[in-house]
Amino acid sequence: MKLFDVYPLNDITIVKAKGSYVWDDKGVKYLDMYGGHAVISIGHTNPHWVQSIEDQLHKIAFYSNSIKIPIQQQLADKLGRISGKETYQLFLCNSGAEANENALKLASFHNGSKKIIAFNKGFHGRTSLAVAVTDNKDIVAPVNETGNVIFLPFNNSVALKDCFSKYGNEISSVIIEGIQGVGGINVADENFLKLIRNLCDEYNAVYIADSVQCGYGRSGKFFSHDFAGIDADIYSIAKGMGNGFPVGGILIAPHIKPKYFMLGTTFGGNHLACAAALAVLEVIEKEDLIKQAEENGLYLMNKLKETDGIKNVRGKGLMVGFDVPDHLKDLKKNLLNKHYIFTGEAKPNVIRLLPALNITRNEIDEFLKALQQEITQLKERSIFRPEPLQLND
Ligand SMILES: Cc1ncc(COP(=O)(O)O)c(C=O)c1O
């Protein structure tokens, strides 16, 4: 059987990983500034995480959600305390798309309304409703199309107010990333998030903070929405939550009440996933990783701002992006193939950095040095081979 060919692949086979490094099958060592797709929060193969999963595996990996699973409550308690959302309720699932799917569905159960406000360049996953609220026509199949989703410009207060005054209580929820990831590291204005909070209160709509990529401490706060000093009604989480073990969830505000069978899952909240997620939180707490993300993120961002050639450095904590001008368009490719550094991207010309929260200053410096070297070389090449003149008539 062939694999379904949906990813253009780099010709690299990673066989080993530790901290912020991974190794290929030929022994080449790579620096991972991409966090394996914003997933690695506490470092690859973190010893405490490995041990916790291994210990749990020897006890029990899985039993259905029809019995008591105390490790779910342990996880909920720790997550509530570290995130500052102690009064919230936790529903566990397996991925970011599934978390958003449940969030949007729960919102509609809660207020009985149907319309959803989503934003240009937003990404929320590839399943039914999650993809319908994602601003990328190429990944929305005809069956996913629904008249219930309204896309608005990001950070545009006037458009948001107009939409609420037009549709009023028909609006079930607003879904927004505190920092757009796939869309190119676009930070939501704090005043815009406050406005969403106020309008949701006024119209009984549910504020869904998609924190799949910008959550779990990456921004320098547990949720990037925390910068606005507001509480969302639902937070969706995944990626960094399991450090590579598939686990996701939603944090649900206390005024949203559960009913039997309104949500459910076979695998969500299984013993093994909870052990992995609990270990992640233990390491985040013990090593003060949210503070580290804030401080090292600031260091990285300031150094990038001083770097000649790249443009529009932005982000928060260790979720950082910058624009790559056309004459440096080979930058990402060369960082990987010549300097052995993985970075992320956002089309058409953004490099996204999403390293593990415990990346060290030395590792950041290693990246910055390679970046500077590569920019200099690419610049020299473009001076010797200037791009053809564009003649405007
Ligand atoms: C903001 C955001 N939401 C949701 C998702 C979907 O998560 P998953 O791929 O785990 O379904 C992603 C994935 O990149 C994401 O960045």
Side-chain angles (χ1 to χ4, degrees):
M1 191 190 288
K2 284 202 318 192
L3 294 174
F4 201 50
D5 190 13
V6 287
Y7 299 112
L9 297 180
N10 291 304
D11 187 18
I12 297 171
T13 306
I14 298 297
V15 293
K16 196 176 89 172
K18 191 165 178 43
S20 285
Y21 291 100
V22 296
W23 285 259
D24 73 11
D25 53 354
K26 299 173 192 78
V28 177
K29 183 181 178 187
Y30 297 78
L31 176 64
D32 187 8
M33 293 299 290
Y34 180 41
H37 203 57
V39 164
I40 301 303
S41 46
I42 59 168
H44 289 279
T45 60
N46 180 287
H48 178 62
W49 177 84
V50 172
Q51 192 63 55
S52 301
I53 295 173
E54 198 182 314
D55 290 349
Q56 186 61 49
L57 200 49
H58 288 295
K59 293 186 216 152
I60 178 172
F62 175 84
Y63 201 82
S64 101
N65 274 308
S66 62
I67 47 121
K68 286 186 178 171
I69 302 179
I71 196 171
Q72 291 183 350
Q73 189 57 53
Q74 269 175 268
L75 174 60
D77 288 344
K78 202 162 202 67
L79 180 54
R81 193 166 49 71
I82 295 180
S83 67
K85 311 289 175 205
E86 279 107 332
T87 58
Y88 281 55
Q89 311 151 83
L90 177 65
F91 177 77
L92 289 160
C93 57
N94 309 284
S95 71
E98 208 187 322
N100 285 328
E101 207 68 54
N102 281 298
L104 295 161
K105 183 176 171 182
L106 182 57
S108 180
F109 269 136
H110 172 69
N111 53 23
S113 305
K114 284 189 186 170
K115 292 210 182 295
I116 303 166
I117 296 179
F119 296 96
N120 293 351
K121 291 199 171 180
F123 184 92
H124 302 289
R126 291 166 179 277
T127 55
S128 153
L129 261 182
V131 84
V133 294
T134 288
D135 184 22
N136 179 353
K137 287 198 172 48
D138 292 343
I139 64 168
V140 180
V143 72
N144 302 129
E145 285 166 12
T146 155
N148 288 326
V149 181
I150 305 160
F151 282 99
L152 297 180
F154 193 62
N155 281 337
N156 185 323
S157 302
V158 175
L160 185 68
K161 280 187 208 154
D162 284 353
C163 187
F164 266 101
S165 30
K166 182 165 175 202
Y167 293 104
N169 287 45
E170 284 179 67
I171 295 167
S172 173
S173 58
V174 179
I175 185 162
I176 182 164
E177 296 159 82
I179 306 169
Q180 291 185 329
V182 176
I185 312 290
N186 307 311
V187 181
D189 291 344
E190 291 172 20
N191 283 337
F192 190 63
L193 298 181
K194 283 184 189 145
L195 181 66
I196 294 178
R197 179 65 280 164
N198 291 340
L199 290 167
C200 283
D201 287 342
E202 190 178 339
Y203 291 93
N204 190 33
V206 173
Y207 177 152
I208 300 172
D210 182 338
S211 303
V212 168
Q213 189 164 151
C214 60
Y216 245 76
R218 175 163 296 286
S219 69
K221 290 203 186 281
F222 196 89
F223 293 116
S224 63
H225 296 252
D226 294 344
F227 284 98
I230 44 97
D231 284 320
D233 298 310
I234 302 180
Y235 295 86
S236 54
I237 51 177
K239 289 202 191 284
M241 182 179 185
N243 197 48
F245 197 101
V247 57
I250 48 176
L251 276 67
I252 306 154
H255 68 278
I256 301 178
K257 304 288 180 208
K259 268 197 204 139
Y260 281 153
F261 306 120
M262 76 198 303
L263 304 180
T265 162
T266 297
F267 292 121
N270 66 77
H271 296 76
L272 209 49
C274 288
L278 202 51
V280 168
L281 287 174
E282 282 161 358
V283 175
I284 286 181
E285 188 170 39
K286 188 156 173 249
E287 296 182 12
D288 212 359
L289 291 191
I290 302 181
K291 185 141 181 273
Q292 276 197 47
E294 182 194 355
E295 289 174 0
N296 284 336
L298 203 60
Y299 174 78
L300 171 64
M301 197 125 77
N302 285 338
K303 291 280 180 193
L304 287 172
K305 282 181 180 160
E306 291 164 12
T307 304
D308 240 12
I310 57 172
K311 295 210 169 95
N312 199 10
V313 178
R314 58 202 183 260
K316 277 194 193 302
L318 289 171
M319 184 162 184
V320 176
F322 54 84
D323 294 344
V324 178
D326 205 42
H327 67 279
L328 301 180
K329 63 178 182 304
D330 289 338
L331 188 58
K332 181 177 185 307
K333 193 177 73 188
N334 290 0
L335 281 171
L336 180 60
N337 296 332
K338 287 168 57 186
H339 301 269
Y340 308 114
I341 297 176
F342 279 103
T343 56
E345 68 180 335
K347 303 277 184 228
N349 67 334
V350 180
I351 286 192
R352 262 195 298 164
L353 304 175
L354 304 147
L357 307 190
N358 55 3
I359 189 166
T360 63
R361 284 274 164 107
N362 281 346
E363 289 158 352
I364 292 176
D365 286 341
E366 183 187 332
F367 164 72
L368 290 165
K369 193 170 154 208
L371 180 77
Q372 189 58 70
Q373 261 179 24
E374 197 47 44
I375 289 175
T376 308
Q377 282 183 13
L378 284 169
K379 260 190 193 161
E380 277 167 9
R381 214 169 306 158
S382 74
I383 292 166
F384 289 121
R385 249 189 298 128
E387 281 156 28
L389 273 181
Q390 300 283 339
L391 294 176
N392 294 325
D393 52 7

